[in-house]
Amino acid sequence: EVQLVESGGGLVQPGRSLKLSCVASGFTFSNYGMNWIRQAPGKGLEWVAYISSGSSYIYYAETVKGRFTISRDNAKNTLYLQMTSLRSEDTALYYCARHRAGYNYWGQGVMVTVSS
Amino acid sequence: DTVLTQSPALAVSPGERVTISCRASESVSTGMHWYQQKPGQQPKLLIYGASNLESGVPARFSGSGSGTDFTLTIDPVEADDTATYFCQQSWNDPYTFGAGTKLELK
C-alpha cells in the first residue's frame, strides 16, 4: 500500500524557517518525481514545488521561489521542503504528492501556520 | 499562468447525472486531471489525461474534453459523492488547479 506521511509543521513567526518531511512507503520512491502542494484554510490547491526522481530537475512556484527549497533522500525514502522567510500567506496545509499524469497519491498533509 | 475556471457549486439529487465543467484560459491539450476532495481529507485522483479513469475509481465517473473545455460526469450520483471537485492542468508551466466545484446532494 502506498503511503506518504508528512511531518514537521507547526506555528512559526513571520520571517522564520521550518522544514517539512514526507516519508514514502509501498512503492519504489527513487522511481518517481515528487511534489509539494498546499491548501490555505478554506481555499483551493496551489502547486508549490517539484523534484524529479534523481533530483536533476527542480521547479518552484513563483510565490515561493528563492525562499523554499525542495530536496529528497532516496536512501531514506524521504522528501523535504525547507521553508525560509515565511510569510502569513504561506499559512496552509502542505501535502506531498507523487507525480504521474496527475498526482495519484497524496499524504494526509501537515499544517503550517505563520503568525506572530 | 493558465487559469482554470469552474462553477462554484452544484446541487443534484441522488440517481441523477451531473456534469462539472472546467474551462482553461489557453489550450492544455488533454493534460487535464480531476480530483475529489471530501472535508478533512486529501484530494483523490479520479480522472487523468482528460478521460482516463484512475484505478479503483467507480465507472460512474468519466471525463471528456480537449483544448480548453473539459467535463467531469458522474452518472448516477450517489450520496457519498458529496465533495469538492478540482480540475488541474499539466500541459503549461506552472501546473495550476481550478478553484473547485462543491457538489451537494439534495
Side-chain angles (χ1 to χ4, degrees), chain A residues 6-37:
Chain A
E6 302 95 337
S7 62
L11 174 63
V12 61
Q13 293 179 328
R16 303 297 291 265
S17 300
L18 204 60
K19 187 172 185 176
L20 306 182
S21 299
C22 169
V23 176
S25 60
F27 66 102
T28 305
F29 181 70
S30 59
N31 286 352
Y32 290 86
M34 296 294 295
N35 298 268
W36 288 99
I37 296 163

Side-chain angles (χ1 to χ4, degrees), chain B residues 62-99:
Chain B
S62 63
S64 64
S66 65
T68 60
D69 290 293
F70 298 86
T71 299
L72 172 70
T73 300
I74 311 172
D75 186 15
V77 171
E78 296 182 357
D80 187 54
D81 298 334
T82 297
T84 299
Y85 293 84
F86 293 94
C87 57
Q88 177 247 327
Q89 66 83 20
S90 63
W91 190 254
N92 301 313
D93 289 324
Y95 295 174
T96 50
F97 290 87

Side-chain angles (χ1 to χ4, degrees), chain B residues 27-51:
Chain B
S27 177
V28 300
S29 185
T30 56
M32 182 64 76
H33 321 292
W34 291 93
Y35 302 85
Q36 176 193 65
Q37 186 177 34
K38 297 180 178 180
Q41 297 185 16
Q42 69 270 55
K44 173 186 176 183
L45 179 66
L46 300 174
I47 301 290
Y48 65 93
S51 61

Side-chain angles (χ1 to χ4, degrees), chain A residues 7 12 21 24 31 34 45 48 55 59 64-65 71-72 75 80 94 98:
Chain A
S7 62
V12 61
S21 299
N31 286 352
M34 296 294 295
L45 297 160
V48 173
S55 303
Y59 305 104
V64 306
K65 193 175 291 185
S71 63
R72 63 192 295 161
Y80 303 101
Y94 284 74
R98 193 176 85 171

